[in-house]
Amino acid sequence: MVSPQCPNGEFWTDTEALIALLDQIEKDYAVDLSRVYLTGHSMGGFGTWYLAYQHPERFAAIAPMSAPFSVTAWAERLKEMPIWAFHGSDDSLVPIAGIIEPQI
């Protein structure tokens, strides 16, 4: 497991730095490339959505938690991605009302 921390005052938008870290981990360790999963909480959850959108071919599945997701333009690139999203109904920072409802 790798758990990078976002520097203070920044957002997870530097996907190339994260992909470079993933590349290095995959080079240095025995990683099953078909089983690379991505998760994050709150801002890290948004980073999960964004990194998966930018590089969907790199991940087997994603699990964003308590993350805003209202960018419907990303749906086309993520439609084949297994996603298990978590969000609490009492979240006052990122209200669940602003989150896209799953299509069943």
Side-chain angles (χ1 to χ4, degrees), residues 31-70:
V31 175
D32 180 345
L33 300 180
S34 69
R35 296 175 69 189
V36 176
Y37 303 97
L38 180 62
T39 190
H41 180 261
S42 194
M43 183 175 59
F46 181 77
T48 296
W49 286 116
Y50 188 66
L51 188 57
Y53 162 72
Q54 290 292 322
H55 299 276
E57 74 286 352
R58 298 297 298 264
F59 303 102
I62 64 171
M65 297 176 286
S66 300
F69 181 70
S70 59

Side-chain angles (χ1 to χ4, degrees), residues 2-84:
V2 177
S3 183
Q5 301 299 303
C6 186
N8 283 334
E10 295 190 27
F11 294 96
W12 281 127
T13 56
D14 187 359
T15 59
E16 296 316 306
L18 293 170
I19 290 299
L21 174 62
L22 182 57
D23 288 341
Q24 191 65 48
I25 296 297
E26 290 173 352
K27 178 181 168 222
D28 293 346
Y29 299 95
V31 175
D32 180 345
L33 300 180
S34 69
R35 296 175 69 189
V36 176
Y37 303 97
L38 180 62
T39 190
H41 180 261
S42 194
M43 183 175 59
F46 181 77
T48 296
W49 286 116
Y50 188 66
L51 188 57
Y53 162 72
Q54 290 292 322
H55 299 276
E57 74 286 352
R58 298 297 298 264
F59 303 102
I62 64 171
M65 297 176 286
S66 300
F69 181 70
S70 59
V71 186
T72 56
W74 295 358
E76 183 64 27
R77 289 186 63 140
L78 296 173
K79 70 181 183 182
E80 301 299 322
M81 173 74 61
I83 300 169
W84 195 8

